[in-house]
Amino acid sequence: MKKIVVLGSINIDTILNIERLPLPGETMAMHDRSIAGGGKGANQAIAAARAGSETSFIAKIGKDHAADFMMDTFKNDGLNIDHVTIDDKAGTGKAYILLDEHGQNSILIYGGANQAVTTKDIDDAANAISEADCLIAQFEVPIPAITEAFKIAKENNVLTILNPAPAKQDIPAELLKLTDIIAPNETEAEAITGIKVVDEASMIAAADKMHEMGIEIVLITVGSKGSFYSLEDHSYGFVDAFKVKAVDTTAAGDTFIGYLASQLNKDLDNLVGAMRFANKASSITVQEKGAQNSIPYHNQVEF
């Protein structure tokens, strides 16, 4: 069984169902409203656990009802939550998701306790990181904490996966050099490289630029089309998505990351197969509304 550690965010998602995204200054009615557990870190940790990995989560929550709800969710999925700590000042993170009739979304984030994760929190979890097969992080927690975690991982030959979301420019070079696999979507790839990703040629150009930054493997997810990969030796390819009717794309990328990590061999010789399996899991996620409730279990992901 793979040992995976996820460093990341916990949010309570408020999902607002609308016909289309509003124009500037426009007032619109909602069709529906719902609340569910979310946060990129929590989603990816749950995906890894449901994929069959032994998963530990490093995160921070507030001292509120939302935190109790999330902790119960983590326990139900069998996550190790020894390093999910409470911040007395900030509330649990919140996300407000605008979801249109075609399943596309725009998301607004209140960081809350997620922004209170410190390097001390990471050092306290050093044993869990050093014993893992893979460490995953995203940008909904502070970069100094991510960098510290990746340093510990690399000192112990632990694979590091960075999901650079939300999109961020000027990522510290130190962090990029500690990253084995970077997995942006098209928007995030453009933010990192300045290259607009619209076709295979631009994907290759963006990947090459990320390789120059010190990253061995670049994966670019492109929604309903699938996922692109590029290796430092300039070999590359595309793994097609599974064609389904998308109801809600929330957590699709997080499902991909969690399932990918759960499948990867240490020498990465099964990268394409792991990506295909992760694509399949994501295709199930988009067929149901919500984030964590839509993430499938391993026995549901069949070819």
Side-chain angles (χ1 to χ4, degrees), residues 8-69:
S9 56
I10 298 171
N11 291 328
I12 292 293
D13 291 349
T14 299
I15 304 157
L16 310 177
N17 296 94
I18 54 179
E19 180 181 354
R20 55 174 172 78
L21 297 180
L23 300 172
E26 182 180 15
T27 300
M28 291 180 63
M30 294 182 293
H31 299 321
D32 198 6
R33 172 183 176 274
S34 58
I35 295 175
K40 285 186 172 297
N43 295 345
Q44 291 172 15
I46 286 172
R50 292 182 185 176
S53 296
E54 183 181 327
T55 307
S56 298
F57 191 23
I58 305 170
K60 190 153 283 195
I61 52 177
K63 200 171 186 179
D64 48 33
H65 176 68
D68 297 336
F69 170 76

Side-chain angles (χ1 to χ4, degrees), residues 3-173:
K3 287 187 176 181
I4 294 175
V5 173
V6 178
L7 163 62
S9 56
I10 298 171
N11 291 328
I12 292 293
D13 291 349
T14 299
I15 304 157
L16 310 177
N17 296 94
I18 54 179
E19 180 181 354
R20 55 174 172 78
L21 297 180
L23 300 172
E26 182 180 15
T27 300
M28 291 180 63
M30 294 182 293
H31 299 321
D32 198 6
R33 172 183 176 274
S34 58
I35 295 175
K40 285 186 172 297
N43 295 345
Q44 291 172 15
I46 286 172
R50 292 182 185 176
S53 296
E54 183 181 327
T55 307
S56 298
F57 191 23
I58 305 170
K60 190 153 283 195
I61 52 177
K63 200 171 186 179
D64 48 33
H65 176 68
D68 297 336
F69 170 76
M70 294 304 298
M71 292 294 269
D72 287 342
T73 298
F74 300 151
K75 290 173 185 175
N76 289 339
D77 273 297
L79 293 184
N80 181 324
I81 52 175
D82 290 348
H83 300 290
V84 177
T85 55
I86 296 171
D87 186 270
D88 291 328
K89 297 178 181 178
T92 300
K94 305 287 191 302
Y96 301 89
I97 301 168
L98 302 179
L99 177 64
D100 74 17
E101 290 184 343
H102 301 288
Q104 295 301 311
N105 61 46
S106 293
I107 304 174
L108 304 174
I109 300 290
Y110 162 68
N114 297 316
Q115 293 304 309
V117 177
T118 67
T119 55
K120 182 183 183 304
D121 295 317
I122 303 306
D123 292 338
D124 289 343
N127 285 343
I129 296 171
S130 65
E131 294 172 359
D133 295 301
C134 177
L135 170 67
I136 303 168
Q138 335 74 36
F139 284 154
E140 289 183 348
V141 296
I143 284 181
I146 299 172
T147 303
E148 179 70 8
F150 275 33
K151 282 180 183 176
I152 295 169
K154 296 319 299 172
E155 287 167 1
N156 291 277
N157 297 313
V158 175
L159 180 73
T160 55
I161 299 178
L162 178 64
N163 175 217
K168 199 177 283 286
Q169 297 176 333
D170 302 320
I171 301 170

Side-chain angles (χ1 to χ4, degrees), residues 233-296:
D233 64 3
H234 301 295
S235 60
Y236 61 88
F238 198 86
V239 180
D240 290 332
F242 290 79
K243 301 302 180 186
V244 297
K245 179 175 174 55
V247 174
D248 181 358
T249 58
T250 306
D254 298 329
T255 300
F256 177 87
I257 297 290
Y259 264 82
L260 176 80
S262 77
Q263 297 298 306
L264 280 173
N265 294 335
K266 199 168 185 66
D267 61 5
L268 306 179
D269 65 343
N270 68 331
L271 177 64
V272 173
M275 290 173 66
R276 186 173 292 112
F277 197 75
N279 280 354
K280 178 64 173 178
S282 295
S283 76
I284 297 171
T285 296
V286 302
Q287 294 181 68
E288 187 172 345
K289 288 183 180 181
Q292 291 166 8
N293 61 290
S294 67
I295 298 170

